[in-house]
Amino acid sequence: MLKFVFWLLAGVNLLVLAIGQGYLGSFRTETREPARLKNQLQAGKLTLLTQEQATAPAAPPAAEEGATPAATVPAPPTTYACTEVGNFLLADGRRFEAQVAALDLGDRQSRRNVAGQDISSYMVYIPPQGSKEGADRKAGELKQLGVTNYFIMNESSPLRWGISLGVFKSETSAQSQLASLNKQGVHSARVAPRYSASKQLAYQFRDLDAATRARLEKIKAQFPEQELRSCK
């Protein structure tokens, strides 16, 4: 009886050992690596990757064949908001006007008057006193110093309520008068040039494309003393 129990236990142990080692298969799906590889579909086509290949970033997907590339947006054409040419004397301005008429710019072309820059004379004067009362007060001081040849400027100009002490053709004559007034005790007077009232002309052109601007530059080249410049 003891021998039977001994051999029964030995047989059970052998059976458990055989099952544990996989000699008799498994009652569940094989999970050992050789069996797992055998169960893969087309296992012979599998390729084992190295560590470097496994950690490398994925390549971007190739563009689909026949895909239409994104359309390139064309750059906007160059435009010149405001271009000015000047300053013309009246005769040259008329000639320039006649030539730019061919550009047919309509209301995109305009003309403005520019004050002349030629000195016509020199004035000895006392700067503006701020009001009529201030100018009258300064005139009273001049009288007390014996100065009687003066004129209060009351017109609308930057020198309004200043006092003119004489206008001279040359700067030398004006400086001589200033020296004489200093001797009389007038120390606030000074000399300033006066400019001619002759008008000059400047022409402005707006919203020009590159081709029209080039044509304008070609016309301006016939007037080399004039300047082509940007404006507002």
Side-chain angles (χ1 to χ4, degrees), residues 103-124:
L103 300 180
D104 193 23
L105 296 175
D107 59 3
R108 290 187 292 152
Q109 173 183 331
S110 60
R111 182 184 69 196
R112 68 183 184 92
N113 295 327
V114 182
Q117 297 300 310
D118 295 329
I119 296 175
S120 59
S121 59
Y122 293 85
M123 180 172 64
V124 180

Side-chain angles (χ1 to χ4, degrees), residues 1-54:
M1 183 65 179
L2 291 175
K3 288 183 178 182
F4 173 74
V5 173
F6 170 79
W7 288 112
L8 179 61
L9 292 176
V12 171
N13 288 333
L14 288 174
L15 180 61
V16 172
L17 178 62
I19 293 173
Q21 294 297 322
Y23 296 129
L24 301 179
S26 174
F27 295 106
R28 65 179 183 273
T29 303
E30 297 282 358
T31 57
R32 299 176 65 85
E33 189 63 18
R36 187 180 65 82
L37 289 176
K38 289 179 182 179
N39 288 334
Q40 293 284 348
L41 294 178
Q42 298 180 341
K45 295 183 179 181
L46 295 178
T47 302
L48 295 179
L49 300 179
T50 64
Q51 182 178 359
E52 290 76 8
Q53 292 173 324

Side-chain angles (χ1 to χ4, degrees), residues 84-93 95-96 114 200-203 217 219-229:
E84 183 174 80
V85 182
N87 300 330
F88 293 89
L89 295 176
L90 184 59
D92 287 339
R95 286 175 46 225
F96 179 76
V114 182
Q200 295 180 342
L201 304 174
Y203 295 85
E217 290 176 350
I219 295 172
K220 182 266 169 193
Q222 301 175 41
F223 302 86
E225 70 280 4
Q226 302 304 325
E227 178 188 11
L228 187 148
R229 53 189 175 257

Side-chain angles (χ1 to χ4, degrees), residues 44-173:
K45 295 183 179 181
L46 295 178
T47 302
L48 295 179
L49 300 179
T50 64
Q51 182 178 359
E52 290 76 8
Q53 292 173 324
T55 57
E64 294 185 11
E65 186 175 352
T68 304
T72 302
V73 178
T78 302
T79 58
Y80 298 87
C82 184
T83 303
E84 183 174 80
V85 182
N87 300 330
F88 293 89
L89 295 176
L90 184 59
D92 287 339
R94 297 303 184 194
R95 286 175 46 225
F96 179 76
E97 256 184 77
Q99 295 195 44
V100 298
L103 300 180
D104 193 23
L105 296 175
D107 59 3
R108 290 187 292 152
Q109 173 183 331
S110 60
R111 182 184 69 196
R112 68 183 184 92
N113 295 327
V114 182
Q117 297 300 310
D118 295 329
I119 296 175
S120 59
S121 59
Y122 293 85
M123 180 172 64
V124 180
Y125 72 103
I126 293 175
Q129 299 301 299
S131 65
K132 183 179 184 302
E133 291 75 15
D136 288 340
R137 188 162 48 250
K138 178 60 71 174
E141 295 176 5
L142 292 174
K143 283 183 181 180
Q144 293 178 2
L145 294 172
V147 178
T148 57
N149 185 19
Y150 63 83
F151 172 73
I152 295 176
M153 296 178 282
N154 57 9
E155 71 276 7
S156 297
S157 74
L159 294 179
R160 180 178 173 84
W161 305 127
I163 300 176
S164 171
L165 297 169
V167 177
F168 304 87
K169 288 293 291 183
S170 70
E171 185 177 9
T172 301
S173 298

